[in-house]
Amino acid sequence: MQRIKQTSKTPGVKSKASSQTARAVLSLREMLVQGRFRPGERIREVPLAAELKVSRIPLHLALERLAHEGFLEIRPTRGFVVQRFSTEDIYDAIELRGLLEGAAAKLAAQRFKHISELSPLQATSYEILSLVRGHKKLTMETFNLYIDLNARFHSGLIDLSRSRMLRRAIQQACSLPFASPSAFLKRQYVSSDLWELFLICADQHCEIVDAIANRDGMRAELLTREHARVARRNLEDALRNSELPPDMAGAKLIELSSSVRPSTAR
Amino acid sequence: MQRIKQTSKTPGVKSKASSQTARAVLSLREMLVQGRFRPGERIREVPLAAELKVSRIPLHLALERLAHEGFLEIRPTRGFVVQRFSTEDIYDAIELRGLLEGAAAKLAAQRFKHISELSPLQATSYEILSLVRGHKKLTMETFNLYIDLNARFHSGLIDLSRSRMLRRAIQQACSLPFASPSAFLKRQYVSSDLWELFLICADQHCEIVDAIANRDGMRAELLTREHARVARRNLEDALRNSELPPDMAGAKLIELSSSVRPSTAR
DNA sequence: AACTCACTGATTGCATGCAAAAGACCGTTG
DNA sequence: CAACGGTCTTTTGCATGCAATCAGTGAGTT
């Protein structure tokens, strides 16, 4: 693999990122989320580099980054090992995100100077609500739009907290796919149940904004924590139905404990 | 710098870590904490590698790690830039640690199966208390011992939470020196004020253990959050006295907001 | 004078090859 | 037969050199 003036990009396939490392990060994360590796499996760099068509240095950098995101464990001179997650880990991760986003909501309520600063968040929450109300039959398109707007809401909430430290912590907490705000929503679930869920969430968004606008930090915090628990309910439903849908992001990294544990919190 | 059979170690100087990368991480972190770089400064890899006597690859890996810890910012093809922190950032970081450790304490209260699991934490808290009571005149040695035991207490608390996710989050939150449990305690402050502070903390430790033992999760959480705020008070005191003591870990990375400060950090 | 653009010096990104550990295998020895 | 030790193999760690890219500079054009 010599250096063959691949400077800009072969616009053909998928040249999404500019650097080899960035490309490797994207591919690898995708592979991990798709369950391409078994939990506990040791990753050998040379064959993987060949497969991804990058050299070992950028691959190593990419692995290091994914280890930091929580997908891999670093063994001092023995490479990287794929992490395994129990359902308790997932519950804890969701609860952790709720804790952090709740703190963000509280800070938002305390820190905004003028009510107009809330407009973006308010706009997003209305947009979500009208999207859901207007599409009682969900399509793929509205589903994706919802995911998008939902992400914008959560990111806007973090902006309002004006805390870099909190932002960092939330980013890290959400770096595992099953902890992110849109976890456990998968295409195959496009159903009326899902529509109800979206409506509930849309309502929660509006109430959160309302609490923030009234400087009711405690209410904003509690609502936001509750909002995060929706993901927990989704996971519980999925587990009750039988097993995790195999196409769900990160499902293959989850090791089901023998008993689906009856909900403790909530 | 060729490969000169430096296989094992020149036991002379300081061979602390086995790999070049690990050595570079240690040296770099030390340099950063000591304020060797100015906030906002761009780090040039080649001269730094020469100075640290490592090659550019391990240096790059080390820089990446410190970026993950929060010391540096990554610019896509422009290297690493030293982060700057405001006092608000520090306050937020301390509050964040309190939030997370509080959650750990709450989980600890909920999750222990048998009271004997608390013995290590209990033992540590007693050990700290008797250390402080027995040494109304603090020496360097008792100071260091306190720091040590304090770290053990905090780590024991995290163990009891039985949450890998929380552990990860706390680790990340504490990776910046001014957010860690022993932040803003510096040698020059060995004084009777410090003794009082230690006593208060030792008492808090005992009360936290007591709350956990009684399964009073809420009390454990609130106590732990309050315990973290001691660090905030320390910082406030230090700021009130004039400026940050220049030998304090990470002080040079902190940019005092409104108050005047002779800028040259060197 | 301001703007563009090509050039240049500085700096990071990356490929390759080699060395050092860690693990596997096997023969020897108690 | 188990345990130990040596050699071989596999795999990661690292050094070096080159390519690509970025920031700064100066010439040319409007």
Side-chain angles (χ1 to χ4, degrees):
Chain A
M1 171 160 291
Q2 67 283 52
R3 187 166 301 252
I4 38 145
K5 185 62 188 275
Q6 51 104 36
T7 163
S8 276
K9 48 214 92 178
T10 47
V13 204
K14 60 173 179 179
S15 72
K16 7 177 89 165
S18 42
S19 80
Q20 307 284 82
T21 303
R23 227 189 326 277
V25 168
L26 292 178
S27 312
L28 265 177
R29 188 158 34 212
E30 190 62 19
M31 290 169 80
L32 282 161
V33 160
Q34 305 266 333
R36 172 67 198 289
F37 306 101
R38 284 292 147 87
E41 178 179 346
R42 176 182 177 183
I43 291 189
R44 290 194 243 52
E45 297 184 12
V46 176
L48 188 56
E51 182 179 344
L52 294 179
K53 301 202 178 110
V54 299
S55 172
R56 286 176 50 222
I57 298 281
L59 175 64
H60 191 91
L61 287 168
L63 287 168
E64 190 103 8
R65 257 183 231 183
L66 291 163
H68 173 251
E69 290 182 14
F71 286 102
L72 305 171
E73 184 195 348
I74 306 182
R75 301 282 182 86
T77 62
R78 296 166 76 206
F80 297 84
V81 170
V82 180
Q83 283 277 19
R84 71 181 71 226
F85 299 95
S86 68
T87 51
E88 282 76 18
D89 289 334
I90 315 295
Y91 288 138
D92 282 355
I94 293 169
E95 198 67 27
L96 175 62
R97 173 168 64 84
L99 184 71
L100 295 170
E101 289 189 337
K106 183 173 164 190
L107 283 185
Q110 292 170 352
R111 292 189 174 176
F112 74 88
K113 296 249 183 356
H114 190 271
I115 192 85
S116 65
E117 295 166 24
L118 304 186
S119 320
L121 201 66
Q122 213 154 28
T124 305
S125 66
Y126 284 149
E127 215 171 329
I128 294 177
L129 189 59
S130 57
L131 172 76
V132 175
R133 280 187 175 148
H135 297 266
K136 302 209 173 185
K137 280 291 182 196
L138 286 178
T139 65
M140 207 51 187
E141 195 183 354
T142 54
F143 178 91
N144 287 328
L145 191 49
Y146 175 87
I147 300 282
D148 229 51
L149 288 170
N150 187 52
R152 192 188 305 169
F153 180 87
H154 284 263
S155 132
L157 184 60
I158 296 167
D159 290 343
L160 282 177
S161 77
R162 298 178 183 281
S163 170
R164 291 167 62 203
M165 298 302 175
L166 203 46
R167 169 188 302 280
R168 227 168 64 95
I170 293 176
Q171 227 164 35
Q172 156 121 351
C174 291
S175 64
L176 290 173
F178 33 72
S180 89
S182 56
F184 304 115
L185 298 178
K186 289 324 276 183
R187 281 82 191 158
Q188 68 180 91
Y189 284 138
V190 171
S191 65
S192 64
D193 277 3
L194 187 60
W195 182 84
E196 289 181 8
L197 196 71
F198 280 6
L199 184 67
I200 291 169
C201 288
D203 181 64
Q204 287 176 327
H205 291 160
C206 293
E207 293 306 305
I208 289 169
V209 174
D210 180 69
I212 293 174
N214 289 308
R215 296 223 184 265
D216 191 343
M218 172 159 258
R219 179 168 170 247
E221 178 174 9
L222 293 177
L223 281 170
T224 305
R225 289 183 73 162
E226 207 54 46
H227 180 54
R229 293 204 177 101
V230 169
R232 182 190 176 105
R233 274 158 56 182
N234 288 343
L235 174 56
E236 283 171 347
D237 282 349
L239 288 175
R240 198 171 303 121
N241 280 351
S242 63
E243 300 189 348
L244 292 172
D247 70 322
M248 194 177 63
K252 295 267 183 59
L253 300 178
I254 302 176
E255 190 177 64
L256 297 180
S257 49
S258 47
S259 65
V260 177
R261 122 180 138 163
S263 66
T264 56
R266 134 147 211 113
Chain B
M1 173 158 287
Q2 66 282 50
R3 188 167 299 258
I4 37 142
K5 187 61 186 292
Q6 51 107 34
T7 163
S8 275
K9 48 214 94 177
T10 46
V13 203
K14 59 173 178 178
S15 73
K16 13 175 88 166
S18 42
S19 79
Q20 306 284 82
T21 303
R23 226 188 327 275
V25 167
L26 292 178
S27 312
L28 266 176
R29 187 159 33 213
E30 190 62 19
M31 289 169 80
L32 282 161
V33 160
Q34 306 265 332
R36 171 66 197 288
F37 304 102
R38 248 173 289 181
E41 178 179 345
R42 175 181 178 185
I43 291 189
R44 290 192 238 62
E45 298 184 10
V46 177
L48 188 55
E51 181 178 346
L52 293 179
K53 300 199 179 119
V54 299
S55 172
R56 286 177 50 224
I57 297 281
L59 175 64
H60 192 91
L61 287 167
L63 287 169
E64 190 104 5
R65 256 182 232 183
L66 291 163
H68 289 152
E69 290 182 14
F71 285 102
L72 306 171
E73 184 195 349
I74 307 182
R75 302 280 183 87
T77 61
R78 301 219 249 125
F80 298 84
V81 169
V82 180
Q83 284 278 20
R84 72 180 70 226
F85 300 95
S86 68
T87 51
E88 282 76 18
D89 288 335
I90 314 296
Y91 288 140
D92 282 356
I94 293 169
E95 198 66 28
L96 175 62
R97 174 169 65 83
L99 184 70
L100 295 170
E101 290 189 338
K106 184 174 162 190
L107 283 184
Q110 291 170 353
R111 291 189 175 176
F112 73 88
K113 296 251 184 352
H114 190 271
I115 192 83
S116 65
E117 295 167 25
L118 305 185
S119 321
L121 200 67
Q122 213 154 28
T124 306
S125 66
Y126 283 148
E127 213 171 332
I128 294 177
L129 189 60
S130 57
L131 172 76
V132 175
R133 279 186 176 150
H135 297 267
K136 302 207 172 187
K137 281 292 182 197
L138 285 178
T139 64
M140 206 53 184
E141 195 183 354
T142 54
F143 178 91
N144 287 327
L145 190 50
Y146 175 88
I147 299 282
D148 229 52
L149 288 169
N150 188 51
R152 192 189 303 170
F153 180 86
H154 284 262
S155 130
L157 184 60
I158 296 167
D159 289 344
L160 282 177
S161 77
R162 298 179 182 281
S163 169
R164 291 166 63 204
M165 299 301 175
L166 203 46
R167 170 188 301 279
R168 227 168 62 95
I170 293 177
Q171 227 164 34
Q172 156 123 351
C174 291
S175 64
L176 290 174
F178 33 73
S180 89
S182 56
F184 304 115
L185 298 178
K186 291 321 281 182
R187 282 82 192 158
Q188 69 180 88
Y189 283 137
V190 171
S191 66
S192 63
D193 277 4
L194 187 60
W195 183 84
E196 288 181 11
L197 196 73
F198 280 5
L199 184 66
I200 291 168
C201 288
D203 182 63
Q204 287 175 330
H205 290 160
C206 293
E207 293 306 305
I208 289 169
V209 174
D210 179 68
I212 293 174
N214 288 309
R215 296 224 184 264
D216 191 343
M218 170 158 259
R219 180 169 171 246
E221 180 175 8
L222 293 176
L223 282 169
T224 306
R225 290 182 73 163
E226 207 53 48
H227 180 54
R229 293 204 177 98
V230 170
R232 183 191 176 103
R233 275 158 56 183
N234 288 343
L235 174 56
E236 282 170 347
D237 283 349
L239 288 176
R240 195 172 305 121
N241 281 352
S242 64
E243 301 186 349
L244 291 173
D247 71 322
M248 196 178 60
K252 295 265 181 62
L253 300 178
I254 302 177
E255 192 176 62
L256 299 181
S257 36
S258 47
S259 73
V260 271
R261 181 172 170 226
S263 58
T264 60
R266 118 162 274 250

